[in-house]
Amino acid sequence: MSVLARGGLGPLCAAARAVIPCLWRGKYFSSGREPAETQVTPMLRHLIYKIKATGPITVAEYMKEVLTNPAKGYYVYRDMLGEKGDFITSPEISQIFGEVFSQLGSVLKNCDISIHLVEVSRKLSEIQALTLTEEKIPLERNAGSPVYMKGVTKSGIPISWYRDLHDVPKGHSFYLAHEFFDVLPVHKFQKTPQGWREVFIDIDPQVSDKLRFVLAPCVTPAEVFIQRDEMRDHVEVCPEAGIIVQELSQRIALTGGAALIADYGHDGTKTDTFRGFCGHKLHDVLTAPGTADLTADVDFSYLRRMAEGQVASLGPVRQQMFLKNMGIDVRLKVLLDKSDEPARQQLLQGYDMLMNPKKMGERFNFFALLPHQRLHGRSHPMNACQSKPSVSPVAGFGELAWR
């Protein structure tokens, strides 16, 4: 099993930035909250020096620097997870989120299992190791190696940490990417009377230590990622997500397995979703960079296009439907019957957060990649340890059937 963790950003496919000797237009929109008083962070000073030296930068380059810069990156050093951090993920909201995935363990039954985590965040990798590994067996660490940490889980499964998906050994695998794709850098584009123009980030000429959005005065190389029949007037494209999906698709087509992608997203319908979170609240993306999480909703229609021809794709399916198909209601009933009143209230609150359409129920989506043969019932099912064909619905993407 390979897990692409939230901080796990590989090398980015950033289109080369053209030299544009023209004047840049002023700020035209804002993502997140309007900025308050300017806070000059080390990352802001770094970005100002960078922009003064090379000119305005793309939103993708901005996200890459803010989140994964080796010296000042948000994911590299900041303790961002949990109630005292900036965000929490579904497993922290309720135990039943993880428990409904126990059915997926059947595809790994009687197989030789190892776990591979793609994670660049030093903080998160330490949390993962503390939670997953056996204390009696010391971790192996090698900062200069593609496998920078190794250990053994409490159930005796070998586990390894990587910084890049390309370093993970190829073979029949189940890939899980949970809240991973929404932090990959996006290029942003605005439709104008002159055609598509990419959104860049520049220094505000009125305030020397403040950043602003500007429009490129002419075409930039990244514009090639926009669909010719695009009807929206503002789009976000993530080339890095396309590269990762193509890599996953090639692996699955060659050696079997499957990938499950769970994230905030849409099916090619939304426009400006770039936003920041600090202390569990919306935060202006250009204010105090390096102190807040940056995210943009995943465009699943783009991921589907990148996978076409190699593997089949399913979804996106809204979280409410996916978890219901996975039996969350059944598991909730079992837990409620065994719990005291305080625990019951906690379970119900977590269930509401996960399933309520006004909360995570409709904003969070699940998307799967799997071999074409799996959907057509031929001799290459998801479970490599079985040989007979399977035409049963894929877990989570079809109604839960009882036998």
Side-chain angles (χ1 to χ4, degrees):
M1 172 180 284
S2 296
V3 180
L4 309 185
R6 184 170 178 80
L9 308 181
L12 303 179
C13 173
R17 181 152 51 88
V19 177
I20 305 174
C22 312
L23 294 176
W24 291 76
R25 299 182 184 178
K27 178 178 177 181
Y28 75 99
F29 76 94
S30 177
S31 298
R33 292 183 174 179
E34 288 299 316
E37 184 179 349
T38 301
Q39 179 183 348
V40 181
T41 61
M43 176 56 67
L44 178 57
R45 285 195 293 268
H46 167 71
L47 291 167
I48 288 174
Y49 293 148
K50 183 181 183 70
I51 293 171
K52 285 181 178 180
T54 64
I57 60 176
T58 66
V59 173
E61 190 172 358
Y62 177 79
M63 289 184 71
K64 178 185 176 184
E65 284 289 336
V66 171
L67 296 179
T68 62
N69 180 285
K72 307 175 182 68
Y74 173 83
Y75 279 126
V76 178
Y77 292 105
R78 192 172 176 87
D79 190 3
M80 76 295 290
L81 194 64
E83 292 185 5
K84 296 181 180 180
D86 299 318
F87 61 85
I88 58 174
T89 58
S90 298
E92 286 81 47
I93 291 173
S94 175
Q95 69 182 77
I96 53 178
F97 181 87
E99 289 179 358
V100 298
F101 286 91
S102 61
Q103 298 178 66
L104 296 177
S106 63
V107 304
L108 303 173
K109 193 175 182 180
N110 299 323
C111 294
D112 292 329
I113 302 173
S114 58
I115 298 175
H116 306 271
L117 286 166
V118 180
E119 179 61 77
V120 300
S121 170
R122 186 177 300 178
K123 289 283 187 180
L124 290 181
S125 62
E126 292 299 331
I127 293 174
Q128 292 157 2
L130 184 63
T131 304
L132 297 173
T133 59
E134 175 58 60
E135 293 182 10
K136 296 179 181 178
I137 303 177
L139 291 167
E140 298 178 32
R141 301 174 186 269
N142 186 348
S145 170
V147 188
Y148 66 86
M149 191 161 64
K150 288 184 179 181
V152 178
T153 70
K154 296 172 183 177
S155 56
I157 300 173
I159 182 170
S160 303
W161 279 263
Y162 306 78
R163 296 182 183 87
D164 196 303
L165 174 62
H166 293 284
D167 295 325
V168 176
K170 295 183 179 180
H172 184 94
S173 300
F174 180 80
Y175 300 92
L176 175 62
H178 180 260
E179 293 195 55
F180 168 80
F181 281 88
D182 69 313
V183 297
L184 296 178
V186 297
H187 289 267
K188 293 174 69 68
F189 302 90
Q190 177 72 26
K191 187 178 289 184
T192 74
Q194 294 74 39
W196 287 103
R197 292 294 182 263
E198 186 167 2
V199 179
F200 278 64
I201 293 172
D202 195 7
I203 302 168
D204 191 328
Q206 305 299 322
V207 185
S208 61
D209 55 4
K210 182 180 176 182
L211 301 176
R212 63 169 185 169
F213 290 108
V214 294
L215 287 179
C218 49
V219 174
T220 55
E223 191 176 314
V224 69
F225 297 118
I226 302 176
Q227 290 289 102
R228 291 186 177 182
D229 58 351
E230 180 59 64
M231 299 299 293
R232 290 170 290 175
D233 60 6
H234 186 93
V235 295
E236 297 167 336
V237 184
C238 182
E240 173 69 2
I243 291 174
I244 292 173
V245 165
Q246 288 179 334
E247 171 73 15
L248 292 175
S249 299
Q250 290 170 3
R251 289 175 175 233
I252 293 169
L254 182 65
T255 62
L260 181 64
I261 299 169
D263 229 314
Y264 291 99
H266 58 92
D267 205 8
T269 56
K270 291 186 179 180
T271 55
D272 176 24
T273 70
F274 182 39
R275 59 199 183 278
F277 284 95
C278 183
H280 304 276
K281 297 180 180 179
L282 279 173
H283 177 89
D284 188 275
V285 293
L286 300 184
T287 300
T291 65
D293 185 29
L294 300 180
T295 177
D297 285 3
V298 178
D299 185 346
F300 289 104
S301 68
Y302 176 68
L303 302 191
R304 188 185 302 113
R305 290 197 301 272
M306 295 299 100
E308 281 181 357
Q310 299 187 78
V311 294
S313 62
L314 291 174
V317 173
R318 291 174 178 172
Q319 175 166 287
Q320 181 187 44
M321 180 180 295
F322 183 89
L323 294 181
K324 187 174 289 291
N325 292 340
M326 292 291 292
I328 190 172
D329 292 331
V330 178
R331 182 56 183 160
L332 175 66
K333 184 178 184 306
V334 171
L335 292 173
L336 289 176
D337 290 343
K338 298 179 179 180
S339 302
D340 57 21
E341 187 57 29
R344 286 172 59 88
Q345 290 303 315
Q346 187 175 11
L347 285 167
L348 290 171
Q349 290 174 5
Y351 177 88
D352 180 65
M353 178 64 72
L354 294 173
M355 301 292 282
N356 192 324
K358 296 181 180 180
K359 297 178 182 178
M360 296 179 67
E362 291 192 354
R363 290 197 59 208
F364 214 81
N365 293 267
F366 287 77
F367 182 81
L369 304 173
L370 61 167
H372 288 290
Q373 299 93 324
R374 171 62 178 81
L375 293 186
H376 294 96
R378 296 199 289 273
S379 59
H380 196 350
M382 282 178 78
N383 187 350
C385 299
Q386 297 178 354
S387 58
K388 62 182 181 180
S390 172
V391 293
S392 61
V394 177
F397 293 88
E399 288 190 24
L400 185 65
W402 297 99
R403 296 180 180 178

